[in-house]
Every structure is written in C-alpha cells, then in structure tokens.
Amino acid sequence: MKIVVCVKTTLPSEAQVRVEGGKLVLDNTPPVINPWDEYAVEAALQQKEAVGGTVTAISIGDESAAVALKHALAMGADDAIRISDASLAALDTLAAARLLAAAIQKIGGVDLVCFGRQAIDGDSGVTPAQTARLLGWPALTLASAVHVEGRRIRVERSIEEGRQIVAAELPAVLSVVKDFAEPRYPTFMGKRKADRAEIPVWSLADLGLPAPAPLVAWGDFAEPPARTAQCEMIAGNSPEEIAERLAEKILAEKIL
Amino acid sequence: MNIWVYIDHFKGTPLPASWEALGLAKRLGNAAAVLLGHQLDEAVRAAFAFGADAVLLADDPALADYRAEAFASTLSAAASSQTPDLILFPTTSRGREIAAMAAVDLNAGVLVDVTALELADGRVVATRPVYGGKALVRETCAARPALVTLRGRAFPKPEPQTGRSGPVTRLQVRAEARTTVEGYTASEGVSLTDASVIVSGGRGLTAFPGLDEKSAAAKGFALLGELAAVLNGAVGASRAVVDAGFIPYAHQVGQTGKLVSPDLYIACGISGAIQHLAGMRTAKVIVAINTDPHAPIFQVARYGAVGDLYQIVPALTAALKKKLGK
Ligand SMILES: Cc1cc2nc3c(=O)[nH]c(=O)nc-3n(C[C@H](O)[C@H](O)[C@H](O)COP(=O)(O)OP(=O)(O)OC[C@H]3O[C@@H](n4cnc5c(N)ncnc54)[C@H](O)[C@@H]3O)c2cc1C
Ligand SMILES: Nc1ncnc2c1ncn2[C@@H]1O[C@H](COP(=O)(O)O)[C@@H](O)[C@H]1O
C-alpha cells in the first residue's frame, strides 16, 4: 500500500505567543511537528506494518518544514518531500489543499493519505476534507480506529454523539484523532537516518500549478480578552465553610 | 444580505449551536435555515421557532445517515444556483466538514471557529482564536459566498417562539457518495461542547491516602459526577488522567481535546497547563480547587479554593444541592 502522510511544522503548544501593535510576536522556542500530525504518522506506519508498502511524508513550507518531515522519517516514514516556492505567500487552507492534492497526484498510485486533525497554529481542521474533495476521494475524518482489508477501508469516526462507523473503497483520505494510538517515539537509528536525509523540494512548476490566490486573509491580531484581573480566594475554617461561601459566589453570578 | 444557516443535527435532533448561528444570521439579514437529512419535520418546526425566515429542505432516505460528500454536494448545488452571500455553520464535526467541502465546490473561503463577525461594506470580517486561543486574528474573505463556522456558545441562543412558520423550499438531493455508514456506538453523558456547566478533574484525583491511583481516580470522578449532576453539567478531564486511562478521551478538555466555553467551569486538581487553558479559557466563570496555592489555574480563575478536592467537592455538592432546592 502506498501511503502519504501530510505533516506541518508548528510552534510547540507551550510556546508563548504575544500580540504587539496588531502583530503576532512568537517566542523562539524551537518548532516541532504539529502534535496532531504525530497521530497521523502513527496511523500511516501501522497500516504499512499491517499490509506492507511505503510511507511518504509531505509538507508545504520553508526550510522549517523539514522539522516535521524529519520527525516523520525518524518515526519510520520511508521518504519525504517538501513543497516550497518563492512565489508562495501566506496560504489559506484551500490553497494548501490544492498544493497537497497536486503533490499526491504527482506521487501517483497513492492508496491512503493520512492527515492530522488540525494544525495548532491556525486551528482550522479543514485541510483534510478539502484535499479529499479536490482529489475526489472519500474523506474519513476524525478516525479513531482504521481497518483495511483488500481495497476496503473501515473507520470509526469520533463525533459528538459517540462513534460513526464508515466504510469506503481505497483510495481514501483520513484525519486521525488522538485516541487512535499513542504515537511512537523516534528510534536512535531513525533519528540518524532522518538527520542524513536529503529532502527533495517540489516547486509550483514541478506540480504544474500556478501560484494559488488565497481567498481568506489574516489581518490584525489581538490579545484574547483579559481574564478577570484577580482570582478571589475563598477561605474558611473547614471544607464545609469554604464550600458554603463558594456556592454563594457561584449562585451570585446568576449563570446557573 | 441573504444568509443561509446550516442546521446541524444528529438523526433529526438539532444541536443547540445551530440556533446560535440562526440568531446571528437574523441580526445580520435575512436568514434561511438549511436542513439536510431524513424525517426532519420536527427540526423544520424548531428552525422556524428559533427565527428562520425560510427553510431550505432536503428530506430524503438517502440522507438518513450523515455522509460528508452527499451533504456537501446537496448544499453546494443549491448554493451555486441560489447564490447566498454568507453561509453559517456551527463548528461541529459535521459543520466544519461540510463547510470545508462546500468551499472547494464553490471556490469560496472558509473561516473556521469564529467568535465574532461583522460586515464591513458587505464584506465579512471575522474574529477567531488561533494558537490555541493565545491570540485572536481578524480574518477577511474575498470570495462569495463566505462560509463561516461559529464557535459554540460564542453567540447567544435566541428564545424560541412556537407557532412561527414560513416558506419551505425543497432542494435537489445529491446523494452520491463513496462512503457507506455501517453503524454507530453512542457515548454516554452530556456532550461537553454543549454543556453550560463542566466539572473537570485532573491528576489531583489520583492521590487519595490508602488508595492506588486507579481507585482514587474512580472515587474522585464519582464525586465530580455528583457535583455535575446537581448542576446539570458534564464531567471533563485533563489530559493527564485521560492518558493514564482513568477516563475516556471524549472527556478531555484542551488543545488536543475539546474546546469548551461553558458558563461555569470547575477545575478540580488541575494545575492549569497552557494546553489545558487552550480548551477552556473562554468559560464565563472559572472556579479552581487545588491544594497548591501557586497552581497556574488560579491565574485564570474567578474564584479559587486552596484545599483538598476530596473534601471540598462533596461539601460543595451538598451546599449547592441545598441552595438550589434539589
Ligand atoms: C502537545 C501537547 C498537547 C496537550 N494537550 C492537552 C490537552 O488537550 N488537555 C490537557 O489537559 N493537557 C494537555 N497537555 C498536557 C499538559 O501539558 C499537562 O501535562 C496536563 O494538562 C496536566 O494535567 P493535570 O493538571 O491534571 O496534572 P498536573 O499538572 O499534575 O496537576 C495536578 C494538580 O492537582 C493538584 N492536586 C493534587 N492533589 C490534590 C488534591 N487532593 N486536591 C486538589 N488538588 C490537588 C496539584 O496541586 C496540581 O496542581 C498537552 C501537552 C502537550 C505537550
Ligand atoms: N503546510 C502543510 N503541509 C502539510 N500538511 C499540512 C499543512 N497544513 C496543514 N496540513 C495538514 O492538514 C491538517 C489540518 O490542518 P489545518 O486544516 O490547517 O488545521 C494538519 O494536521 C496536516 O496534516
């Protein structure tokens, strides 16, 4: 089975983000693979282990995209491709999906594409469904369990009401959620391989695409509304007294 | 301004966030509710009650199960012939996915998980949290229609008025899809994203003298469950206890769990790591119960109590029960 996994480099979730004069100020913690994409790589590797095949990691982005790709290689992906072009400015999700779909078609003969649920910078969570739509393949999003038998794929999807069990024929697109399985740690050998890997770069010309024009643009940033200035500490001589005062405070908020 | 609102529902029962979207649409212009599925009579009545000026309906056995492709195709076909200016969706698993796919079909922009929306010269300008809620960004959309999903509980839910009605237009069903639905397994308990009260537990629930972690957590979550029951709320959890297997992932709040905005969030034995805050910092009132007075959770809480949750939580349950006359 030929598997592609789409990964993105993001700031780690504990990074400090501030806003100054409408602009975003990111701290300089080293970037990491988008945490959700680790689950996608895990899902891809488990399918490969179950039925054989290859896993190719792809990412759109400048040199920093190599961070996510190398992490995927270190976990066990067979190869990696970076998509980058000087004429690419800020992409919206649809533009990113167009590039990813074109790359998947150029790779050719792909059976399964794994995505993370969402990227923790833009927090959109729409690129997987958009890429599937562009490819004309079924989108099996929010997958928490995946079974492939021959050309048939069955997926349990985590939805608000519980799980929906959906089947389709390959090729198909998945997005993977956290309860799929804990992602494996890169091995020592895997890291060595990843460090040495020369990652090819595909340009727009390689993909046969014009520079996509984003329809959605980011403007100014703002700080999230400040939380109540101060926490009111509720003290008392016994847990019952604390609880009594706390209950009064809660009821006085008139939210129940 | 001609606005459509996708009414998200599960087997005919609409999710409350759909009505919040309808309420916003009514404030901005003329609001048509879009209902796709099967056996939707009740949902159609509810859409009018919550303020729809018209209903666009595809009620067909082929749409009895939610399948992204079929729902998106039906919506896109209608939108490309009737050209609404704006289509709103609740940010639910289905709303997000249909918006994503319809944006491809219509070559339109999709703005996800929006918490504020205005029209400037007929253009949609939306505000949405990014970087796990650490910043807000203003997003603009150049194409029409703009497809916008709204964060649950970010917009007020209108009061229903019974007896309202209006025109119902049938949409052409586009049911072709390459997926088949084989079944469902239900999750128990209140859906976290809709809950107006959430009582959450963290690793502080795993240390009770004389009990191993697992039994301590079971005891702790039982106490939280009793408090949640008195408040008609749901039980949430930090990742630490989900990863340890003490409660299913469906309960996890945070950057890699659910994003919630309840009226009241009671954090018990949760330190307040940045990834946890990412999921709940928009709650109206946050209460924290923690033995450590320096726990970061107190920095976002309105009320804090320093102490042992195993003592304070049952006492709080009893106090609220009495005061609420339950
Ligand atoms: C990529 C990534 C994503 C993540 N996503 C999430 C996420 O979605 N959600 C999430 O929650 N975390 C997430 N985390 C984990 C997060 O960083 C923290 O590790 C986690 O939230 C800690 O959980 P906790 O507060 O329950 O545990 P701890 O940090 O161990 O805190 C336990 C607290 O309980 C208190 N306590 C102990 N005993 C008692 C008692 N008897 N009574 C009262 N209080 C007591 C302690 O003082 C302490 O403050 C993520 C981490 C990463 C790296
Ligand atoms: N620049 C990118 N390169 C490769 N994959 C991406 C990129 N951006 C998003 N993705 C994939 O799409 C998923 C959802 O991203 P998003 O829709 O941006 O939240 C991520 O988890 C990745 O799997």
mmCIF file of all heavy atoms in Angstrom, chain A residues 5-9 34 36-37 40 58-61 65 69 83 91 93 96-97 100 114-131 174-175, chain B residues 96 128, ligand 2:
data_model
loop_
_atom_site.group_PDB
_atom_site.id
_atom_site.type_symbol
_atom_site.label_atom_id
_atom_site.label_comp_id
_atom_site.label_asym_id
_atom_site.label_seq_id
_atom_site.Cartn_x
_atom_site.Cartn_y
_atom_site.Cartn_z
ATOM 1 N N VAL A 5 1.575 10.804 4.185
ATOM 2 C CA VAL A 5 1.140 11.483 5.405
ATOM 3 C C VAL A 5 1.523 12.958 5.293
ATOM 4 O O VAL A 5 2.654 13.292 4.914
ATOM 5 C CB VAL A 5 1.707 10.802 6.674
ATOM 6 C CG1 VAL A 5 3.215 10.724 6.671
ATOM 7 C CG2 VAL A 5 1.223 11.504 7.926
ATOM 8 N N CYS A 6 0.534 13.839 5.552
ATOM 9 C CA CYS A 6 0.753 15.279 5.435
ATOM 10 C C CYS A 6 1.079 15.845 6.808
ATOM 11 O O CYS A 6 0.292 15.690 7.744
ATOM 12 C CB CYS A 6 -0.497 15.965 4.894
ATOM 13 S SG CYS A 6 -0.918 15.402 3.245
ATOM 14 N N VAL A 7 2.222 16.486 6.921
ATOM 15 C CA VAL A 7 2.667 16.988 8.218
ATOM 16 C C VAL A 7 3.054 18.457 8.106
ATOM 17 O O VAL A 7 3.466 18.930 7.048
ATOM 18 C CB VAL A 7 3.859 16.168 8.779
ATOM 19 C CG1 VAL A 7 3.444 14.733 9.051
ATOM 20 C CG2 VAL A 7 5.044 16.198 7.822
ATOM 21 N N LYS A 8 2.923 19.166 9.200
ATOM 22 C CA LYS A 8 3.238 20.595 9.221
ATOM 23 C C LYS A 8 4.136 20.878 10.415
ATOM 24 O O LYS A 8 3.996 20.234 11.456
ATOM 25 C CB LYS A 8 1.938 21.399 9.341
ATOM 26 C CG LYS A 8 2.147 22.903 9.227
ATOM 27 C CD LYS A 8 0.828 23.659 9.300
ATOM 28 C CE LYS A 8 1.061 25.135 8.983
ATOM 29 N NZ LYS A 8 -0.156 25.943 9.086
ATOM 30 N N THR A 9 5.021 21.852 10.257
ATOM 31 C CA THR A 9 5.839 22.299 11.391
ATOM 32 C C THR A 9 5.102 23.441 12.082
ATOM 33 O O THR A 9 4.620 24.366 11.429
ATOM 34 C CB THR A 9 7.213 22.783 10.897
ATOM 35 O OG1 THR A 9 7.878 21.686 10.264
ATOM 36 C CG2 THR A 9 8.058 23.299 12.044
ATOM 37 N N ASN A 34 3.634 19.400 14.155
ATOM 38 C CA ASN A 34 2.302 19.641 14.721
ATOM 39 C C ASN A 34 1.892 18.402 15.517
ATOM 40 O O ASN A 34 1.871 17.299 14.980
ATOM 41 C CB ASN A 34 1.340 19.890 13.543
ATOM 42 C CG ASN A 34 -0.104 19.994 13.981
ATOM 43 O OD1 ASN A 34 -0.404 20.503 15.058
ATOM 44 N ND2 ASN A 34 -0.997 19.499 13.137
ATOM 45 N N TRP A 36 -0.776 16.984 16.450
ATOM 46 C CA TRP A 36 -1.802 16.108 15.857
ATOM 47 C C TRP A 36 -1.240 15.255 14.732
ATOM 48 O O TRP A 36 -1.765 14.181 14.431
ATOM 49 C CB TRP A 36 -2.952 16.945 15.303
ATOM 50 C CG TRP A 36 -3.829 17.556 16.325
ATOM 51 C CD1 TRP A 36 -3.882 18.874 16.686
ATOM 52 C CD2 TRP A 36 -4.815 16.893 17.136
ATOM 53 N NE1 TRP A 36 -4.828 19.049 17.660
ATOM 54 C CE2 TRP A 36 -5.415 17.867 17.950
ATOM 55 C CE3 TRP A 36 -5.231 15.568 17.239
ATOM 56 C CZ2 TRP A 36 -6.423 17.564 18.857
ATOM 57 C CZ3 TRP A 36 -6.236 15.267 18.148
ATOM 58 C CH2 TRP A 36 -6.821 16.257 18.941
ATOM 59 N N ASP A 37 -0.209 15.756 14.050
ATOM 60 C CA ASP A 37 0.315 15.021 12.895
ATOM 61 C C ASP A 37 1.106 13.792 13.323
ATOM 62 O O ASP A 37 1.301 12.858 12.545
ATOM 63 C CB ASP A 37 1.164 15.948 12.024
ATOM 64 C CG ASP A 37 0.322 17.069 11.430
ATOM 65 O OD1 ASP A 37 -0.920 16.969 11.510
ATOM 66 O OD2 ASP A 37 0.899 18.037 10.908
ATOM 67 N N ALA A 40 -1.144 11.073 12.927
ATOM 68 C CA ALA A 40 -1.296 10.724 11.506
ATOM 69 C C ALA A 40 -0.136 9.838 11.048
ATOM 70 O O ALA A 40 -0.332 8.856 10.330
ATOM 71 C CB ALA A 40 -1.372 11.996 10.669
ATOM 72 N N ILE A 58 4.818 14.395 3.397
ATOM 73 C CA ILE A 58 4.931 15.620 2.614
ATOM 74 C C ILE A 58 4.544 16.822 3.470
ATOM 75 O O ILE A 58 3.732 16.715 4.376
ATOM 76 C CB ILE A 58 4.090 15.585 1.304
ATOM 77 C CG1 ILE A 58 2.587 15.508 1.586
ATOM 78 C CG2 ILE A 58 4.502 14.411 0.433
ATOM 79 C CD1 ILE A 58 1.737 15.548 0.310
ATOM 80 N N SER A 59 5.174 17.946 3.159
ATOM 81 C CA SER A 59 4.871 19.160 3.905
ATOM 82 C C SER A 59 5.072 20.369 3.010
ATOM 83 O O SER A 59 6.010 20.406 2.215
ATOM 84 C CB SER A 59 5.790 19.278 5.137
ATOM 85 O OG SER A 59 5.399 20.379 5.916
ATOM 86 N N ILE A 60 4.203 21.349 3.156
ATOM 87 C CA ILE A 60 4.373 22.621 2.449
ATOM 88 C C ILE A 60 5.025 23.590 3.420
ATOM 89 O O ILE A 60 4.532 23.738 4.543
ATOM 90 C CB ILE A 60 3.023 23.257 2.058
ATOM 91 C CG1 ILE A 60 2.108 22.237 1.387
ATOM 92 C CG2 ILE A 60 3.230 24.486 1.184
ATOM 93 C CD1 ILE A 60 0.655 22.711 1.291
ATOM 94 N N GLY A 61 6.061 24.262 2.975
ATOM 95 C CA GLY A 61 6.635 25.272 3.860
ATOM 96 C C GLY A 61 8.088 25.558 3.524
ATOM 97 O O GLY A 61 8.704 24.858 2.708
ATOM 98 N N ALA A 65 9.915 23.501 7.446
ATOM 99 C CA ALA A 65 9.031 22.347 7.229
ATOM 100 C C ALA A 65 9.804 21.035 7.376
ATOM 101 O O ALA A 65 9.226 19.973 7.637
ATOM 102 C CB ALA A 65 8.371 22.428 5.858
ATOM 103 N N LEU A 69 9.045 16.937 8.703
ATOM 104 C CA LEU A 69 9.377 15.817 7.805
ATOM 105 C C LEU A 69 10.418 14.904 8.448
ATOM 106 O O LEU A 69 10.323 13.673 8.376
ATOM 107 C CB LEU A 69 9.889 16.357 6.465
ATOM 108 C CG LEU A 69 8.822 17.075 5.622
ATOM 109 C CD1 LEU A 69 9.472 17.771 4.420
ATOM 110 C CD2 LEU A 69 7.751 16.096 5.147
ATOM 111 N N ILE A 83 7.315 20.849 -0.196
ATOM 112 C CA ILE A 83 6.728 21.640 -1.264
ATOM 113 C C ILE A 83 6.981 23.103 -0.921
ATOM 114 O O ILE A 83 6.587 23.566 0.150
ATOM 115 C CB ILE A 83 5.210 21.376 -1.381
ATOM 116 C CG1 ILE A 83 4.965 19.898 -1.675
ATOM 117 C CG2 ILE A 83 4.583 22.265 -2.445
ATOM 118 C CD1 ILE A 83 3.609 19.397 -1.248
ATOM 119 N N LEU A 91 -0.710 31.080 2.757
ATOM 120 C CA LEU A 91 -1.701 30.218 2.115
ATOM 121 C C LEU A 91 -2.939 30.132 2.991
ATOM 122 O O LEU A 91 -2.833 30.074 4.208
ATOM 123 C CB LEU A 91 -1.134 28.809 1.967
ATOM 124 C CG LEU A 91 0.087 28.637 1.086
ATOM 125 C CD1 LEU A 91 0.606 27.209 1.196
ATOM 126 C CD2 LEU A 91 -0.256 28.960 -0.358
ATOM 127 N N THR A 93 -6.417 27.613 3.710
ATOM 128 C CA THR A 93 -6.493 26.153 3.725
ATOM 129 C C THR A 93 -6.760 25.588 2.328
ATOM 130 O O THR A 93 -6.240 24.538 1.968
ATOM 131 C CB THR A 93 -7.603 25.658 4.674
ATOM 132 O OG1 THR A 93 -8.854 26.206 4.266
ATOM 133 C CG2 THR A 93 -7.311 26.054 6.111
ATOM 134 N N ALA A 96 -3.577 25.529 0.372
ATOM 135 C CA ALA A 96 -2.723 24.438 0.844
ATOM 136 C C ALA A 96 -3.248 23.099 0.332
ATOM 137 O O ALA A 96 -2.484 22.243 -0.132
ATOM 138 C CB ALA A 96 -2.667 24.442 2.382
ATOM 139 N N ALA A 97 -4.569 22.942 0.378
ATOM 140 C CA ALA A 97 -5.162 21.684 -0.093
ATOM 141 C C ALA A 97 -4.888 21.475 -1.579
ATOM 142 O O ALA A 97 -4.624 20.346 -2.026
ATOM 143 C CB ALA A 97 -6.672 21.682 0.177
ATOM 144 N N LEU A 100 -1.320 20.205 -1.840
ATOM 145 C CA LEU A 100 -1.187 18.835 -1.336
ATOM 146 C C LEU A 100 -1.829 17.847 -2.321
ATOM 147 O O LEU A 100 -1.254 16.788 -2.626
ATOM 148 C CB LEU A 100 -1.839 18.700 0.047
ATOM 149 C CG LEU A 100 -1.150 19.482 1.171
ATOM 150 C CD1 LEU A 100 -1.971 19.431 2.453
ATOM 151 C CD2 LEU A 100 0.263 18.950 1.430
ATOM 152 N N CYS A 114 -2.954 10.217 5.055
ATOM 153 C CA CYS A 114 -3.265 10.477 6.469
ATOM 154 C C CYS A 114 -2.954 11.932 6.803
ATOM 155 O O CYS A 114 -1.889 12.444 6.450
ATOM 156 C CB CYS A 114 -2.426 9.578 7.378
ATOM 157 S SG CYS A 114 -2.736 7.824 7.124
ATOM 158 N N PHE A 115 -3.884 12.562 7.494
ATOM 159 C CA PHE A 115 -3.719 13.928 7.975
ATOM 160 C C PHE A 115 -3.850 13.945 9.492
ATOM 161 O O PHE A 115 -4.488 13.077 10.069
ATOM 162 C CB PHE A 115 -4.843 14.838 7.448
ATOM 163 C CG PHE A 115 -4.694 15.288 6.024
ATOM 164 C CD1 PHE A 115 -5.156 14.502 4.990
ATOM 165 C CD2 PHE A 115 -4.122 16.519 5.737
ATOM 166 C CE1 PHE A 115 -5.036 14.934 3.675
ATOM 167 C CE2 PHE A 115 -4.005 16.958 4.431
ATOM 168 C CZ PHE A 115 -4.459 16.166 3.399
ATOM 169 N N GLY A 116 -3.323 14.999 10.088
ATOM 170 C CA GLY A 116 -3.662 15.280 11.474
ATOM 171 C C GLY A 116 -5.045 15.907 11.520
ATOM 172 O O GLY A 116 -5.592 16.315 10.499
ATOM 173 N N ARG A 117 -5.581 15.997 12.713
ATOM 174 C CA ARG A 117 -6.918 16.560 12.841
ATOM 175 C C ARG A 117 -6.925 18.057 12.569
ATOM 176 O O ARG A 117 -7.800 18.581 11.912
ATOM 177 C CB ARG A 117 -7.413 16.278 14.252
ATOM 178 C CG ARG A 117 -8.637 17.013 14.602
ATOM 179 C CD ARG A 117 -8.882 16.919 16.084
ATOM 180 N NE ARG A 117 -9.970 17.790 16.419
ATOM 181 C CZ ARG A 117 -10.835 17.549 17.395
ATOM 182 N NH1 ARG A 117 -10.719 16.478 18.116
ATOM 183 N NH2 ARG A 117 -11.797 18.378 17.635
ATOM 184 N N GLN A 118 -5.933 18.772 13.087
ATOM 185 C CA GLN A 118 -5.815 20.185 12.784
ATOM 186 C C GLN A 118 -4.417 20.660 13.138
ATOM 187 O O GLN A 118 -3.696 19.988 13.867
ATOM 188 C CB GLN A 118 -6.872 21.026 13.497
ATOM 189 C CG GLN A 118 -6.705 21.160 14.991
ATOM 190 C CD GLN A 118 -7.965 21.778 15.606
ATOM 191 O OE1 GLN A 118 -9.067 21.267 15.455
ATOM 192 N NE2 GLN A 118 -7.791 22.885 16.291
ATOM 193 N N ALA A 119 -4.040 21.804 12.578
ATOM 194 C CA ALA A 119 -2.731 22.366 12.868
ATOM 195 C C ALA A 119 -2.902 23.333 14.033
ATOM 196 O O ALA A 119 -3.809 24.156 14.011
ATOM 197 C CB ALA A 119 -2.187 23.087 11.643
ATOM 198 N N ILE A 120 -2.046 23.248 15.042
ATOM 199 C CA ILE A 120 -2.281 24.024 16.264
ATOM 200 C C ILE A 120 -1.870 25.486 16.144
ATOM 201 O O ILE A 120 -1.905 26.213 17.115
ATOM 202 C CB ILE A 120 -1.618 23.389 17.514
ATOM 203 C CG1 ILE A 120 -0.095 23.456 17.417
ATOM 204 C CG2 ILE A 120 -2.085 21.972 17.738
ATOM 205 C CD1 ILE A 120 0.568 23.223 18.767
ATOM 206 N N ASP A 121 -1.491 25.942 14.945
ATOM 207 C CA ASP A 121 -1.310 27.390 14.767
ATOM 208 C C ASP A 121 -2.606 28.025 14.258
ATOM 209 O O ASP A 121 -3.212 28.842 14.920
ATOM 210 C CB ASP A 121 -0.113 27.700 13.856
ATOM 211 C CG ASP A 121 -0.021 26.784 12.645
ATOM 212 O OD1 ASP A 121 -1.016 26.114 12.319
ATOM 213 O OD2 ASP A 121 1.058 26.751 12.008
ATOM 214 N N GLY A 122 -3.058 27.578 13.072
ATOM 215 C CA GLY A 122 -4.291 28.141 12.522
ATOM 216 C C GLY A 122 -5.545 27.527 13.113
ATOM 217 O O GLY A 122 -6.626 28.095 12.989
ATOM 218 N N ASP A 123 -5.423 26.357 13.736
ATOM 219 C CA ASP A 123 -6.571 25.693 14.362
ATOM 220 C C ASP A 123 -7.776 25.565 13.428
ATOM 221 O O ASP A 123 -8.915 25.756 13.854
ATOM 222 C CB ASP A 123 -7.006 26.443 15.640
ATOM 223 C CG ASP A 123 -6.044 26.206 16.809
ATOM 224 O OD1 ASP A 123 -5.514 25.088 16.905
ATOM 225 O OD2 ASP A 123 -5.833 27.128 17.609
ATOM 226 N N SER A 124 -7.543 25.253 12.148
ATOM 227 C CA SER A 124 -8.662 25.220 11.203
ATOM 228 C C SER A 124 -9.319 23.843 11.133
ATOM 229 O O SER A 124 -10.534 23.726 11.214
ATOM 230 C CB SER A 124 -8.208 25.598 9.798
ATOM 231 O OG SER A 124 -7.582 26.844 9.808
ATOM 232 N N GLY A 125 -8.503 22.807 10.889
ATOM 233 C CA GLY A 125 -9.066 21.461 10.788
ATOM 234 C C GLY A 125 -9.933 21.240 9.565
ATOM 235 O O GLY A 125 -10.903 20.485 9.626
ATOM 236 N N VAL A 126 -9.632 21.910 8.466
ATOM 237 C CA VAL A 126 -10.424 21.709 7.252
ATOM 238 C C VAL A 126 -9.605 21.206 6.065
ATOM 239 O O VAL A 126 -10.175 20.747 5.073
ATOM 240 C CB VAL A 126 -11.181 22.996 6.839
ATOM 241 C CG1 VAL A 126 -12.259 23.325 7.860
ATOM 242 C CG2 VAL A 126 -10.253 24.170 6.671
ATOM 243 N N THR A 127 -8.282 21.274 6.168
ATOM 244 C CA THR A 127 -7.447 20.879 5.030
ATOM 245 C C THR A 127 -7.678 19.409 4.607
ATOM 246 O O THR A 127 -7.716 19.126 3.405
ATOM 247 C CB THR A 127 -5.963 21.139 5.358
ATOM 248 O OG1 THR A 127 -5.834 22.473 5.836
ATOM 249 C CG2 THR A 127 -5.090 20.968 4.136
ATOM 250 N N PRO A 128 -7.831 18.462 5.549
ATOM 251 C CA PRO A 128 -8.039 17.068 5.113
ATOM 252 C C PRO A 128 -9.286 16.909 4.234
ATOM 253 O O PRO A 128 -9.208 16.313 3.144
ATOM 254 C CB PRO A 128 -8.201 16.305 6.437
ATOM 255 C CG PRO A 128 -7.547 17.163 7.479
ATOM 256 C CD PRO A 128 -7.719 18.581 7.017
ATOM 257 N N ALA A 129 -10.413 17.463 4.668
ATOM 258 C CA ALA A 129 -11.647 17.322 3.888
ATOM 259 C C ALA A 129 -11.518 18.050 2.551
ATOM 260 O O ALA A 129 -12.018 17.585 1.520
ATOM 261 C CB ALA A 129 -12.845 17.859 4.672
ATOM 262 N N GLN A 130 -10.821 19.189 2.556
ATOM 263 C CA GLN A 130 -10.676 19.933 1.301
ATOM 264 C C GLN A 130 -9.794 19.183 0.317
ATOM 265 O O GLN A 130 -10.070 19.148 -0.877
ATOM 266 C CB GLN A 130 -10.121 21.336 1.594
ATOM 267 C CG GLN A 130 -11.127 22.163 2.396
ATOM 268 C CD GLN A 130 -10.836 23.639 2.396
ATOM 269 O OE1 GLN A 130 -9.712 24.046 2.667
ATOM 270 N NE2 GLN A 130 -11.838 24.450 2.102
ATOM 271 N N THR A 131 -8.721 18.569 0.828
ATOM 272 C CA THR A 131 -7.831 17.816 -0.064
ATOM 273 C C THR A 131 -8.584 16.615 -0.651
ATOM 274 O O THR A 131 -8.481 16.318 -1.848
ATOM 275 C CB THR A 131 -6.581 17.339 0.708
ATOM 276 O OG1 THR A 131 -6.002 18.465 1.355
ATOM 277 C CG2 THR A 131 -5.560 16.707 -0.220
ATOM 278 N N LEU A 174 -7.748 10.169 5.287
ATOM 279 C CA LEU A 174 -8.081 10.078 6.710
ATOM 280 C C LEU A 174 -7.619 11.334 7.428
ATOM 281 O O LEU A 174 -6.579 11.885 7.108
ATOM 282 C CB LEU A 174 -7.302 8.940 7.392
ATOM 283 C CG LEU A 174 -7.476 7.504 6.984
ATOM 284 C CD1 LEU A 174 -6.528 6.649 7.834
ATOM 285 C CD2 LEU A 174 -8.903 7.079 7.217
ATOM 286 N N SER A 175 -8.356 11.744 8.475
ATOM 287 C CA SER A 175 -7.712 12.578 9.501
ATOM 288 C C SER A 175 -7.819 11.795 10.795
ATOM 289 O O SER A 175 -8.807 11.102 11.036
ATOM 290 C CB SER A 175 -8.324 13.971 9.592
ATOM 291 O OG SER A 175 -9.520 13.972 10.337
ATOM 292 N N ARG B 96 -18.042 21.713 10.316
ATOM 293 C CA ARG B 96 -16.696 22.007 9.840
ATOM 294 C C ARG B 96 -16.414 21.295 8.511
ATOM 295 O O ARG B 96 -15.859 21.872 7.573
ATOM 296 C CB ARG B 96 -15.718 21.508 10.893
ATOM 297 C CG ARG B 96 -14.376 22.187 10.917
ATOM 298 C CD ARG B 96 -13.441 21.425 11.819
ATOM 299 N NE ARG B 96 -13.526 21.743 13.235
ATOM 300 C CZ ARG B 96 -12.621 22.475 13.893
ATOM 301 N NH1 ARG B 96 -11.608 23.000 13.273
ATOM 302 N NH2 ARG B 96 -12.748 22.676 15.177
ATOM 303 N N ARG B 128 -11.334 35.214 15.081
ATOM 304 C CA ARG B 128 -11.273 33.835 15.563
ATOM 305 C C ARG B 128 -10.014 33.606 16.373
ATOM 306 O O ARG B 128 -8.983 34.240 16.154
ATOM 307 C CB ARG B 128 -11.367 32.844 14.398
ATOM 308 C CG ARG B 128 -10.397 33.093 13.261
ATOM 309 C CD ARG B 128 -10.601 32.085 12.162
ATOM 310 N NE ARG B 128 -10.297 30.758 12.636
ATOM 311 C CZ ARG B 128 -9.184 30.093 12.319
ATOM 312 N NH1 ARG B 128 -8.294 30.605 11.501
ATOM 313 N NH2 ARG B 128 -8.960 28.904 12.810
HETATM 314 N N1 LIG C 2 1.625 23.253 5.282
HETATM 315 C C1 LIG C 2 1.176 21.997 5.402
HETATM 316 N N2 LIG C 2 1.901 20.966 4.907
HETATM 317 C C2 LIG C 2 1.461 19.692 5.016
HETATM 318 N N3 LIG C 2 0.335 19.346 5.631
HETATM 319 C C3 LIG C 2 -0.424 20.315 6.153
HETATM 320 C C4 LIG C 2 -0.060 21.686 6.064
HETATM 321 N N4 LIG C 2 -1.013 22.417 6.678
HETATM 322 C C5 LIG C 2 -1.936 21.534 7.137
HETATM 323 N N5 LIG C 2 -1.584 20.275 6.827
HETATM 324 C C6 LIG C 2 -2.292 19.027 7.180
HETATM 325 O O1 LIG C 2 -3.661 19.318 7.391
HETATM 326 C C7 LIG C 2 -4.037 19.047 8.739
HETATM 327 C C8 LIG C 2 -5.080 20.031 9.180
HETATM 328 O O2 LIG C 2 -4.571 21.324 9.081
HETATM 329 P P1 LIG C 2 -5.488 22.631 9.200
HETATM 330 O O3 LIG C 2 -6.692 22.413 8.339
HETATM 331 O O4 LIG C 2 -4.624 23.742 8.733
HETATM 332 O O5 LIG C 2 -5.854 22.739 10.658
HETATM 333 C C9 LIG C 2 -2.735 19.061 9.521
HETATM 334 O O6 LIG C 2 -2.851 18.302 10.703
HETATM 335 C C10 LIG C 2 -1.783 18.452 8.494
HETATM 336 O O7 LIG C 2 -1.940 17.040 8.447
#
